[in-house]
Coordinates of all heavy atoms in Angstrom, one line a residue:
P190 N -4.1 -8.2 -6.6 CA -3.7 -8.5 -5.2 C -3.9 -7.3 -4.3 O -4.1 -7.4 -3.1 CB -2.2 -8.8 -5.3 CG -1.8 -8.6 -6.7 CD -3.0 -8.4 -7.5
R191 N -3.9 -6.1 -4.9 CA -4.2 -4.9 -4.1 C -5.6 -4.9 -3.5 O -5.8 -4.4 -2.4 CB -4.0 -3.6 -4.9 CG -2.6 -3.2 -5.2 CD -2.5 -1.9 -6.0 NE -3.6 -1.8 -7.0 CZ -4.1 -0.6 -7.4 NH1 -3.6 0.5 -6.9 NH2 -5.0 -0.6 -8.3
V192 N -6.5 -5.5 -4.3 CA -7.9 -5.5 -3.8 C -8.0 -6.4 -2.6 O -8.7 -6.0 -1.6 CB -8.9 -6.0 -5.0 CG1 -10.3 -6.2 -4.5 CG2 -8.9 -4.9 -6.1
A193 N -7.4 -7.5 -2.6 CA -7.5 -8.4 -1.5 C -6.8 -7.8 -0.2 O -7.4 -7.8 0.9 CB -6.8 -9.8 -1.8
R194 N -5.7 -7.2 -0.5 CA -5.0 -6.5 0.7 C -5.8 -5.3 1.1 O -6.0 -5.0 2.3 CB -3.6 -6.0 0.2 CG -2.8 -5.2 1.3 CD -2.5 -6.2 2.4 NE -1.7 -5.4 3.4 CZ -1.9 -5.5 4.7 NH1 -2.8 -6.3 5.2 NH2 -1.2 -4.8 5.5
G195 N -6.4 -4.6 0.2 CA -7.3 -3.4 0.5 C -8.5 -3.8 1.3 O -8.9 -3.1 2.2
R196 N -9.0 -5.0 1.0 CA -10.2 -5.5 1.8 C -9.8 -5.8 3.2 O -10.5 -5.4 4.2 CB -10.7 -6.8 1.2 CG -11.8 -7.5 2.0 CD -13.1 -6.9 1.8 NE -14.1 -7.4 2.7 CZ -15.1 -8.2 2.4 NH1 -15.2 -8.7 1.2 NH2 -16.0 -8.6 3.3
Q197 N -8.6 -6.4 3.4 CA -8.1 -6.6 4.8 C -7.9 -5.3 5.6 O -8.3 -5.2 6.7 CB -6.8 -7.3 4.8 CG -6.9 -8.8 4.2 CD -5.5 -9.4 4.0 OE1 -4.5 -8.7 3.8 NE2 -5.4 -10.7 4.1
L198 N -7.3 -4.3 4.9 CA -7.1 -3.0 5.5 C -8.4 -2.3 5.8 O -8.5 -1.7 6.8 CB -6.1 -2.2 4.6 CG -4.7 -2.7 4.5 CD1 -4.0 -2.0 3.4 CD2 -4.0 -2.4 5.8
Y199 N -9.3 -2.3 4.8 CA -10.6 -1.7 5.0 C -11.3 -2.3 6.2 O -11.8 -1.6 7.1 CB -11.5 -1.9 3.8 CG -12.9 -1.3 4.0 CD1 -13.2 0.0 3.7 CD2 -13.9 -2.1 4.5 CE1 -14.4 0.5 3.9 CE2 -15.1 -1.6 4.7 CZ -15.4 -0.3 4.4 OH -16.7 0.2 4.6
D200 N -11.3 -3.6 6.3 CA -12.0 -4.3 7.5 C -11.3 -3.9 8.8 O -12.0 -3.7 9.8 CB -11.9 -5.8 7.3 CG -12.8 -6.4 6.2 OD1 -13.7 -5.6 5.7 OD2 -12.7 -7.6 5.9
A201 N -10.0 -3.7 8.8 CA -9.3 -3.4 10.0 C -9.4 -1.9 10.4 O -9.5 -1.5 11.6 CB -7.8 -3.7 9.9
H202 N -9.5 -1.0 9.4 CA -9.4 0.4 9.7 C -10.7 1.3 9.4 O -10.8 2.4 9.9 CB -8.2 1.1 9.0 CG -6.9 0.5 9.4 ND1 -6.3 0.9 10.5 CD2 -6.1 -0.4 8.8 CE1 -5.1 0.3 10.7 NE2 -5.0 -0.5 9.6
C203 N -11.5 0.7 8.5 CA -12.6 1.6 8.0 C -14.0 1.0 8.3 O -15.0 1.8 8.4 CB -12.5 1.7 6.5 SG -10.9 2.2 5.9
A204 N -14.1 -0.3 8.4 CA -15.4 -1.0 8.5 C -16.2 -0.6 9.8 O -17.4 -0.6 9.8 CB -15.3 -2.5 8.4
S205 N -15.5 -0.3 10.8 CA -16.2 0.1 12.1 C -17.1 1.3 11.9 O -18.1 1.4 12.6 CB -15.2 0.3 13.2 OG -14.3 1.4 12.9
C206 N -16.7 2.2 11.0 CA -17.6 3.3 10.8 C -18.4 3.2 9.4 O -19.5 3.5 9.4 CB -16.7 4.6 10.7 SG -16.0 5.0 12.3
H207 N -17.7 2.8 8.4 CA -18.3 2.8 7.1 C -19.0 1.4 6.8 O -19.7 1.3 5.7 CB -17.2 3.0 6.0 CG -16.7 4.4 6.0 ND1 -17.4 5.5 5.5 CD2 -15.5 4.9 6.5 CE1 -16.7 6.6 5.7 NE2 -15.6 6.3 6.3
G208 N -18.9 0.5 7.7 CA -19.7 -0.8 7.5 C -18.9 -1.9 6.8 O -18.2 -1.6 5.9
L209 N -19.1 -3.1 7.2 CA -18.5 -4.2 6.6 C -18.9 -4.4 5.1 O -18.1 -4.9 4.3 CB -18.8 -5.5 7.3 CG -18.0 -5.8 8.6 CD1 -18.6 -7.0 9.4 CD2 -16.5 -5.9 8.3
K210 N -20.1 -3.9 4.8 CA -20.5 -4.0 3.4 C -20.5 -2.6 2.7 O -21.2 -2.4 1.7 CB -21.9 -4.6 3.3 CG -22.0 -6.0 3.8 CD -23.4 -6.5 3.8 CE -23.5 -7.9 4.4 NZ -24.8 -8.4 4.4
L211 N -19.7 -1.7 3.3 CA -19.5 -0.4 2.7 C -20.8 0.4 2.8 O -20.9 1.4 2.0 CB -18.9 -0.4 1.3 CG -17.5 -1.0 1.2 CD1 -17.6 -2.5 0.8 CD2 -16.8 -0.2 0.1
E212 N -21.7 0.1 3.6 CA -23.1 0.7 3.7 C -23.1 2.0 4.4 O -24.1 2.7 4.3 CB -24.1 -0.3 4.2 CG -24.0 -0.5 5.7 CD -23.0 -1.6 6.2 OE1 -22.1 -2.0 5.3 OE2 -23.0 -2.0 7.3
G213 N -22.1 2.4 5.1 CA -22.1 3.6 5.9 C -23.0 3.6 7.1 O -23.6 2.5 7.4
Q214 N -23.0 4.7 7.8 CA -23.9 4.8 9.0 C -25.3 5.2 8.6 O -25.5 5.9 7.6 CB -23.3 5.8 10.0 CG -22.0 5.3 10.6 CD -21.3 6.3 11.5 OE1 -21.5 7.5 11.4 NE2 -20.4 5.8 12.3
P215 N -26.3 4.8 9.4 CA -27.7 5.2 9.1 C -27.8 6.8 9.1 O -27.1 7.5 9.8 CB -28.5 4.7 10.3 CG -27.6 3.6 10.9 CD -26.2 4.0 10.6
D216 N -28.7 7.2 8.2 CA -28.9 8.7 8.1 C -27.7 9.5 7.8 O -27.4 10.5 8.4 CB -29.7 9.2 9.3 CG -31.0 8.6 9.5 OD1 -31.7 8.3 8.5 OD2 -31.4 8.3 10.7
W217 N -26.8 9.0 7.0 CA -25.5 9.5 6.8 C -25.5 11.0 6.2 O -24.5 11.6 6.2 CB -24.6 8.6 5.9 CG -25.2 8.4 4.5 CD1 -26.1 7.5 4.1 CD2 -24.8 9.1 3.3 NE1 -26.3 7.6 2.7 CE2 -25.5 8.6 2.2 CE3 -23.9 10.1 3.0 CZ2 -25.4 9.0 0.9 CZ3 -23.7 10.6 1.7 CH2 -24.5 10.0 0.7
Q218 N -26.7 11.4 5.7 CA -26.8 12.8 5.2 C -27.4 13.8 6.2 O -27.5 14.9 5.9 CB -27.6 12.8 3.9 CG -26.8 12.0 2.8 CD -27.7 12.0 1.5 OE1 -28.8 11.6 1.5 NE2 -27.0 12.4 0.4
T219 N -27.7 13.3 7.4 CA -28.2 14.1 8.4 C -27.2 14.3 9.5 O -26.7 13.4 10.1 CB -29.5 13.4 9.1 OG1 -30.4 13.1 8.0 CG2 -30.1 14.3 10.1
P220 N -26.9 15.6 9.8 CA -25.8 15.9 10.8 C -26.2 15.3 12.2 O -27.4 15.3 12.6 CB -25.8 17.4 10.9 CG -26.3 17.9 9.5 CD -27.4 16.8 9.2
K221 N -25.2 14.8 12.9 CA -25.3 14.3 14.2 C -25.4 15.5 15.2 O -25.3 16.7 14.8 CB -24.2 13.4 14.6 CG -24.0 12.2 13.7 CD -22.9 11.3 14.2 CE -21.5 11.9 13.9 NZ -20.4 11.0 14.2
V222 N -25.6 15.3 16.5 CA -25.7 16.3 17.5 C -24.5 17.2 17.5 O -24.6 18.4 17.7 CB -25.9 15.6 18.9 CG1 -25.9 16.7 20.0 CG2 -27.2 14.8 18.9
N223 N -23.3 16.7 17.2 CA -22.1 17.5 17.2 C -22.0 18.3 15.9 O -21.0 19.0 15.7 CB -20.9 16.7 17.4 CG -20.6 15.7 16.3 OD1 -21.2 15.6 15.3 ND2 -19.6 14.8 16.5
G224 N -22.9 18.2 15.0 CA -22.9 18.9 13.7 C -22.2 18.3 12.6 O -22.2 18.7 11.4
R225 N -21.5 17.2 12.9 CA -20.8 16.4 11.9 C -21.7 15.4 11.2 O -22.6 14.8 11.9 CB -19.5 15.8 12.5 CG -18.6 16.9 13.0 CD -17.4 16.3 13.6 NE -16.5 17.4 14.1 CZ -15.4 17.2 14.8 NH1 -15.0 16.0 15.1 NH2 -14.7 18.2 15.2
L226 N -21.3 15.0 10.0 CA -22.1 14.0 9.3 C -21.6 12.6 9.7 O -20.4 12.4 9.9 CB -22.0 14.2 7.8 CG -22.7 15.4 7.2 CD1 -22.3 15.6 5.8 CD2 -24.2 15.3 7.3
P227 N -22.6 11.7 9.7 CA -22.1 10.3 10.0 C -21.3 9.8 8.8 O -21.3 10.4 7.7 CB -23.5 9.5 10.0 CG -24.5 10.5 10.3 CD -24.0 11.8 9.7
A228 N -20.6 8.7 9.0 CA -19.8 8.1 7.9 C -20.7 7.7 6.7 O -21.6 7.0 6.9 CB -19.1 6.9 8.5
P229 N -20.3 8.2 5.5 CA -21.1 7.9 4.3 C -20.8 6.4 3.8 O -19.8 5.9 4.1 CB -20.6 8.9 3.3 CG -19.2 9.2 3.7 CD -19.2 9.1 5.2
P230 N -21.7 5.9 3.0 CA -21.4 4.6 2.4 C -20.4 4.8 1.3 O -20.2 5.8 0.7 CB -22.8 4.2 1.8 CG -23.6 5.4 1.7 CD -23.0 6.4 2.7
H231 N -19.6 3.7 1.1 CA -18.6 3.7 0.0 C -19.1 2.8 -1.1 O -18.4 2.6 -2.1 CB -17.3 3.2 0.5 CG -16.6 4.2 1.4 ND1 -16.5 5.6 1.1 CD2 -16.0 4.1 2.6 CE1 -15.8 6.2 2.0 NE2 -15.5 5.3 2.9
D232 N -20.3 2.3 -1.0 CA -20.9 1.5 -2.1 C -21.5 2.4 -3.1 O -21.4 3.7 -3.0 CB -21.9 0.4 -1.6 CG -23.1 1.1 -0.9 OD1 -23.3 2.3 -1.0 OD2 -23.8 0.3 -0.2
E233 N -22.2 1.9 -4.1 CA -22.8 2.7 -5.2 C -23.8 3.7 -4.6 O -24.2 4.6 -5.3 CB -23.3 1.9 -6.3 CG -24.5 1.1 -5.9 CD -25.1 0.2 -7.1 OE1 -25.5 0.8 -8.0 OE2 -25.0 -1.0 -6.9
N234 N -24.4 3.5 -3.4 CA -25.4 4.4 -2.9 C -24.9 5.6 -2.3 O -25.6 6.6 -2.0 CB -26.2 3.6 -1.8 CG -26.9 2.4 -2.4 OD1 -27.5 2.5 -3.5 ND2 -26.7 1.2 -1.8
G235 N -23.6 5.7 -2.1 CA -23.0 6.9 -1.5 C -22.5 7.8 -2.6 O -22.9 7.7 -3.8
H236 N -21.6 8.7 -2.2 CA -21.0 9.7 -3.2 C -19.5 9.5 -3.4 O -18.9 10.3 -4.1 CB -21.3 11.1 -2.8 CG -20.8 11.5 -1.4 ND1 -19.5 11.8 -1.2 CD2 -21.4 11.5 -0.2 CE1 -19.3 12.0 0.1 NE2 -20.4 11.9 0.7
T237 N -18.9 8.5 -2.8 CA -17.5 8.3 -2.9 C -17.1 8.2 -4.4 O -16.1 8.8 -4.8 CB -17.1 6.9 -2.2 OG1 -17.6 7.0 -0.9 CG2 -15.6 6.8 -2.2
W238 N -17.8 7.6 -5.2 CA -17.5 7.4 -6.6 C -17.6 8.8 -7.4 O -17.2 8.8 -8.6 CB -18.2 6.3 -7.3 CG -19.7 6.4 -7.2 CD1 -20.5 6.0 -6.2 CD2 -20.6 6.9 -8.2 NE1 -21.9 6.2 -6.5 CE2 -21.9 6.8 -7.7 CE3 -20.4 7.5 -9.5 CZ2 -23.1 7.2 -8.4 CZ3 -21.6 7.9 -10.2 CH2 -22.8 7.7 -9.7
H239 N -18.1 9.8 -6.8 CA -18.2 11.1 -7.4 C -16.9 11.9 -7.2 O -16.7 13.0 -7.8 CB -19.3 12.0 -6.8 CG -20.7 11.4 -7.1 ND1 -21.6 11.2 -6.1 CD2 -21.2 11.0 -8.2 CE1 -22.7 10.7 -6.6 NE2 -22.5 10.6 -7.9
H240 N -15.9 11.4 -6.5 CA -14.6 12.0 -6.2 C -13.5 11.4 -7.1 O -13.5 10.2 -7.3 CB -14.3 11.9 -4.7 CG -15.3 12.6 -3.8 ND1 -15.4 14.0 -3.7 CD2 -16.2 12.1 -3.0 CE1 -16.3 14.3 -2.8 NE2 -16.9 13.2 -2.4
S241 N -12.5 12.2 -7.4 CA -11.4 11.8 -8.2 C -10.5 10.9 -7.3 O -10.6 10.9 -6.0 CB -10.6 12.9 -8.7 OG -9.9 13.6 -7.7
D242 N -9.6 10.2 -7.9 CA -8.6 9.4 -7.2 C -7.8 10.3 -6.2 O -7.5 9.9 -5.1 CB -7.6 8.7 -8.2 CG -8.3 7.6 -8.9 OD1 -9.3 7.0 -8.5 OD2 -7.8 7.2 -10.0
R243 N -7.4 11.4 -6.8 CA -6.5 12.3 -6.0 C -7.3 12.8 -4.7 O -6.8 12.8 -3.6 CB -6.1 13.5 -6.8 CG -5.2 14.5 -6.1 CD -5.0 15.8 -6.9 NE -6.2 16.5 -7.1 CZ -6.7 17.4 -6.2 NH1 -6.1 17.7 -5.1 NH2 -7.8 18.1 -6.5
E244 N -8.6 13.2 -4.9 CA -9.4 13.6 -3.8 C -9.6 12.5 -2.7 O -9.4 12.8 -1.5 CB -10.7 14.1 -4.3 CG -10.7 15.4 -5.1 CD -12.0 15.7 -5.8 OE1 -12.7 14.8 -6.1 OE2 -12.2 16.9 -6.0
L245 N -9.9 11.3 -3.2 CA -10.1 10.2 -2.3 C -8.8 9.9 -1.5 O -8.9 9.6 -0.3 CB -10.6 9.0 -3.0 CG -12.0 9.1 -3.6 CD1 -12.3 7.9 -4.5 CD2 -13.0 9.3 -2.6
F246 N -7.7 9.9 -2.2 CA -6.4 9.7 -1.5 C -6.1 10.8 -0.5 O -5.8 10.4 0.7 CB -5.3 9.6 -2.6 CG -4.0 9.3 -1.9 CD1 -3.6 8.0 -1.7 CD2 -3.1 10.4 -1.6 CE1 -2.3 7.7 -1.1 CE2 -1.9 10.1 -1.0 CZ -1.5 8.8 -0.7
L247 N -6.3 12.0 -0.8 CA -6.1 13.1 0.1 C -7.0 13.0 1.3 O -6.6 13.3 2.5 CB -6.2 14.5 -0.6 CG -5.0 14.9 -1.4 CD1 -5.4 16.2 -2.2 CD2 -3.8 15.1 -0.6
I248 N -8.3 12.8 1.1 CA -9.3 12.7 2.2 C -8.8 11.6 3.1 O -8.9 11.7 4.4 CB -10.7 12.4 1.6 CG1 -11.2 13.7 0.9 CG2 -11.6 12.0 2.8 CD1 -12.5 13.4 0.1
T249 N -8.4 10.4 2.6 CA -8.0 9.3 3.4 C -6.7 9.6 4.2 O -6.6 9.3 5.4 CB -7.9 8.0 2.6 OG1 -9.1 7.8 1.8 CG2 -7.6 6.8 3.5
K250 N -5.8 10.2 3.5 CA -4.5 10.4 4.1 C -4.5 11.6 5.1 O -4.0 11.5 6.2 CB -3.4 10.7 3.0 CG -2.0 10.8 3.6 CD -1.0 10.9 2.5 CE 0.4 11.0 3.1 NZ 1.5 10.8 2.2
K251 N -5.1 12.7 4.7 CA -5.0 13.9 5.5 C -6.3 14.4 6.1 O -6.3 15.4 6.9 CB -4.4 15.0 4.6 CG -3.0 14.7 4.0 CD -2.3 15.9 3.7 CE -0.9 15.5 3.2 NZ 0.1 15.6 4.3
G252 N -7.4 13.7 5.8 CA -8.7 14.1 6.3 C -9.4 15.0 5.3 O -8.9 15.6 4.4
M253 N -10.7 15.2 5.6 CA -11.6 15.9 4.7 C -11.1 17.4 4.5 O -11.3 18.0 3.4 CB -13.0 15.9 5.2 CG -14.0 16.6 4.3 SD -14.0 15.8 2.6 CE -15.4 14.7 2.9
G254 N -10.5 18.0 5.5 CA -10.0 19.3 5.4 C -9.0 19.6 4.3 O -8.8 20.7 3.9
A255 N -8.3 18.5 3.9 CA -7.4 18.6 2.8 C -8.0 18.9 1.5 O -7.4 19.5 0.6 CB -6.6 17.3 2.7
V256 N -9.3 18.6 1.3 CA -10.0 18.8 0.1 C -11.1 19.9 0.3 O -11.3 20.7 -0.6 CB -10.7 17.5 -0.4 CG1 -11.6 17.7 -1.6 CG2 -9.7 16.4 -0.7
V257 N -11.7 20.0 1.5 CA -12.6 21.0 1.8 C -12.1 21.8 3.0 O -12.4 21.4 4.2 CB -14.0 20.4 2.1 CG1 -15.0 21.6 2.3 CG2 -14.5 19.5 0.9

Side-chain angles (χ1 to χ4, degrees):
R191 287 184 321 153
V192 171
R194 179 66 178 137
R196 171 80 190 255
Q197 293 172 336
L198 291 164
Y199 176 89
D200 287 351
H202 297 280
C203 314
S205 61
C206 294
H207 292 281
L209 282 172
K210 296 179 182 176
L211 296 96
E212 73 275 15
Q214 293 176 337
D216 299 322
W217 63 276
Q218 293 177 309
T219 304
K221 298 185 289 186
V222 175
N223 66 5
R225 297 178 180 175
L226 292 170
H231 289 313
D232 62 13
E233 68 179 294
N234 297 312
H236 58 79
T237 306
W238 56 277
H239 294 131
H240 298 286
S241 71
D242 289 336
R243 182 186 66 83
E244 291 168 331
L245 293 174
F246 182 85
L247 283 173
I248 291 167
T249 307
K250 183 172 182 167
K251 301 202 175 267
M253 185 59 95
V256 175
V257 183

